[in-house]
Amino acid sequence: MLRRLFWSAVCVGTLLVVFGVVDARYVFAPLLGLLIWRIGIASFGSLRAGAAHLPDGPAQPVDTTVERVTYWCSGCGAELLLLVRGAAIAPRHCGERMTEHREIARPLRP
Ligand SMILES: [Zn+2]
């Protein structure tokens, strides 16, 4: 709706300038303002999309008897054992993404 209105205003403004009805600065200055506003809104939208690491649902406990997930920091050597999974991606430590190591227990033979 807003996009259609924007492009309609651009077309009407351009036609008014082409036919000499209105001076160009009275048409293009507001359109330039609208363009700057749209770029600003799009920039905020990209910032919101950058928070994709936030979990979508509640945290899920990990059964450590079946699956053992550890994260290792290549910067300082810290190692973490995952007990509750909040997000699907690895956490950060020392400013870098940690390396995931996953061990899945084999079923015991009868
Ligand atoms: Zn670290």
Side-chain angles (χ1 to χ4, degrees):
M1 168 74 181
L2 195 60
R3 179 173 293 173
R4 188 176 297 167
L5 185 66
F6 174 76
W7 287 111
S8 299
V10 169
C11 291
V12 170
T14 304
L15 288 175
L16 289 176
V17 170
V18 167
F19 291 118
V21 178
V22 180
D23 194 18
R25 62 182 167 180
Y26 297 118
V27 173
F28 291 123
L31 290 177
L32 181 63
L34 279 174
L35 178 69
I36 293 170
W37 179 75
R38 287 179 57 98
I39 290 172
I41 293 299
S43 298
F44 282 120
S46 69
L47 288 175
R48 184 181 46 164
H53 64 280
L54 297 177
D56 293 333
Q60 301 293 324
V62 176
D63 186 5
T64 54
T65 59
V66 176
E67 179 186 29
R68 186 173 183 269
V69 180
T70 57
Y71 292 101
W72 180 72
C73 175
S74 61
C76 67
E79 190 168 347
L80 307 174
L81 174 63
L82 183 68
L83 298 175
V84 178
R85 183 182 310 281
I89 60 173
R92 291 180 166 270
H93 200 262
C94 296
E96 296 179 6
R97 185 83 50 205
M98 298 180 85
T99 304
E100 181 177 323
H101 180 73
R102 181 182 305 253
E103 297 173 0
I104 299 175
R106 277 191 269 167
L108 298 175
R109 293 184 183 178

